[in-house]
């Protein structure tokens, strides 16, 4: 197996088989798969594929069609964290404050919790992303130091990465020799041995804003009805209805994003995830209301 074939194997590139049954005057590859010469760049492009960057190539499927737009999984994770807390904690607080029977107390207390909670959640996301970036930087520095002090140990680690694939010994030796003398050795060790990806420079701010915004939007929903009612329990009943729908929809979507959308089994899994969210949110709200009523009775309020 050549180095090109190995790269195709690990990066899921399509290898076009070369037929050996052609005549002496016939080309081995069809015209649309022959290497093309780029006059502007002065180099060949591989098998008729334009010499774009890797990200552009990854947006093209095996059938030639472009893949649809996909949201960063980390953004989805951050939004899930913010919405999950925003749909339960503020709802439980507003439901608990409703036991006091004062709409203004619910509104002001809910807004204060929303603002403080969004800031707290955003700072948590920011500090977490910064710690992740610092951890990656420290690990990379340690890897560079190890390469300079003990390159044989690093090369041994590279060999261990490829051992599970049962490569021929001469191929494995060629790969390790090539990487040992390559300036990409650090990147290879970080990605394939430590399984670490370098965080984007905007990761911390993006994570903080996503979590904070998701928390605020999720938490504002149960508070919204109290702006339009005079009786606090009217707002509570409307808030409960909105939150049951919101919690179920959030649980359903969150589950289907993972397991898929089509098919009876996946729909049932989504419904089960929605019911789980409703049970969790309802339990939190019920506990908060019970505690507030208990404290108010003991204090004589």
């Amino acid at each position: 197996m050549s180095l090109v074939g190995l790269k195709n194997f690990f990066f899921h590139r399509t290898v076009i088989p070369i037929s050996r049954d052609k005549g002496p005057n016939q080309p081995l590859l069809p015209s649309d798969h022959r290497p093309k010469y780029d006059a502007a760049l002065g180099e060949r492009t591989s098998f008729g594929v334009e010499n774009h960057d890797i990200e552009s190539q990854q947006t093209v499927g095996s059938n030639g069609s472009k893949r649809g737009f996909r949201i960063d999984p980390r953004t989805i994770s951050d939004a899930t964290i913010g919405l999950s807390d925003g749909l339960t904690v503020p709802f439980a607080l507003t439901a608990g404050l409703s036991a006091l029977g004062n709409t203004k107390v619910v509104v002001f207390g809910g807004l204060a919790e929303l603002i403080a909670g969004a800031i707290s959640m955003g700072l948590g996301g920011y500090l977490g992303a910064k710690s992740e970036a610092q951890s990656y930087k420290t690990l990379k520095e340690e890897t560079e130091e190890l390469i300079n002090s003990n390159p044989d140990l690093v090369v041994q680690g590279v060999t261990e990465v490829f051992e599970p694939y049962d490569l021929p010994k001469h191929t494995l030796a060629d790969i390790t020799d090539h990487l040992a003398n390559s300036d990409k050795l650090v990147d290879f060790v970080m990605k394939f041995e430590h399984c670490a990806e370098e965080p984007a420079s905007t990761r911390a701010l993006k994570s903080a804003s996503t979590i904070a915004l998701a928390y605020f939007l999720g938490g504002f929903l149960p508070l919204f009805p109290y702006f339009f009612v005079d009786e606090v329990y009217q707002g509570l009943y409307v808030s409960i209805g909105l939150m049951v729908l919101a919690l179920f929809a959030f649980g359903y979507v969150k589950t289907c994003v993972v397991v898929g959308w089509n098919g009876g089994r996946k729909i049932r899994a989504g419904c089960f995830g929605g019911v789980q969210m409703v049970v969790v949110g309802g339990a939190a709200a019920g506990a908060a209301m019970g505690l507030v009523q208990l404290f108010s009775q003991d204090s004589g309020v």
Side-chain angles (χ1 to χ4, degrees):
M1 179 183 293
S2 64
L3 290 178
V4 175
L6 183 64
K7 182 176 70 172
N8 292 334
F9 174 77
F10 281 103
F11 293 97
H12 305 289
R13 303 288 181 82
T14 302
V15 180
I16 301 173
I18 300 176
S19 174
R20 298 299 179 182
D21 298 332
K22 298 287 185 177
N25 297 324
Q26 292 179 331
L28 291 176
L29 292 175
S31 59
D32 57 339
H33 291 299
R34 296 177 199 163
K36 295 180 180 179
Y37 184 81
D38 193 327
L41 298 176
E43 61 183 8
R44 291 181 182 270
T45 58
S46 59
F47 297 107
V49 179
E50 298 295 335
N51 193 21
H52 297 305
D53 54 31
I54 294 177
E55 294 296 329
S56 299
Q57 294 177 15
Q58 289 177 344
T59 60
V60 180
S62 58
N63 58 355
S65 60
K66 292 186 177 180
R67 299 176 184 173
F69 174 75
R70 297 186 64 185
I71 302 176
D72 183 2
R74 298 300 297 270
T75 301
I76 296 177
S77 176
D78 291 338
T80 300
I81 292 173
L83 281 173
S84 180
D85 282 354
L87 288 173
T88 52
V89 177
F91 175 48
L93 176 65
T94 54
L97 292 177
S98 297
L100 299 177
N102 192 323
T103 304
K104 289 185 178 180
V105 171
V106 177
V107 172
F108 292 148
L111 285 176
E113 196 283 331
L114 271 182
I115 295 173
I119 294 174
S120 176
M121 293 288 291
L123 285 176
Y126 180 85
L127 295 176
K130 280 294 186 181
S131 298
E132 181 182 351
Q134 184 61 42
S135 176
Y136 179 88
K137 181 180 178 181
T138 301
L139 182 60
K140 187 172 183 179
E141 291 174 352
E142 293 176 353
T143 302
E144 292 173 347
E145 182 178 354
L146 183 61
I147 290 175
N148 294 329
S149 61
N150 194 351
D152 292 337
L153 182 61
V154 177
V155 172
Q156 181 181 354
V158 172
T159 304
E160 293 175 354
V161 171
F162 291 105
E163 280 182 350
Y165 300 98
D166 295 327
L167 299 178
K169 292 184 178 180
H170 64 88
T171 302
L172 185 58
D174 290 342
I175 294 173
T176 53
D177 290 342
H178 174 77
L179 288 173
N181 299 305
S182 172
D183 56 355
K184 299 294 185 180
L185 179 59
V186 176
D187 296 333
F188 179 88
V189 173
M190 292 295 295
K191 185 172 183 179
F192 293 100
E193 187 171 349
H194 297 313
C195 299
E197 293 282 351
E198 183 176 8
S201 58
T202 59
R203 170 64 187 156
L205 289 176
K206 188 176 181 181
S207 177
S209 58
T210 301
I211 293 177
L213 181 61
Y215 183 90
F216 187 87
L217 292 178
F220 187 77
L221 187 60
L223 187 62
F224 183 73
Y226 292 95
F227 288 93
F228 304 98
V229 297
D230 296 326
E231 295 292 333
V232 66
Y233 282 103
Q234 291 179 355
L236 175 61
Y237 297 147
V238 176
S239 177
I240 290 175
L242 287 176
M243 289 311 299
V244 168
L245 294 176
L247 287 169
F248 182 84
F250 175 68
Y252 184 91
V253 171
K254 179 173 67 70
T255 303
C256 289
V257 165
V258 177
V259 304
W261 302 87
N262 299 324
R265 183 180 62 83
K266 296 176 182 178
I267 293 176
R268 288 192 295 271
C271 292
F272 182 74
V275 171
Q276 279 185 320
M277 286 299 300
V278 172
V279 171
V280 171
M289 288 190 67
L291 289 174
V292 170
Q293 288 182 340
L294 179 62
F295 294 153
S296 63
Q297 289 176 358
D298 291 340
S299 59
V301 178

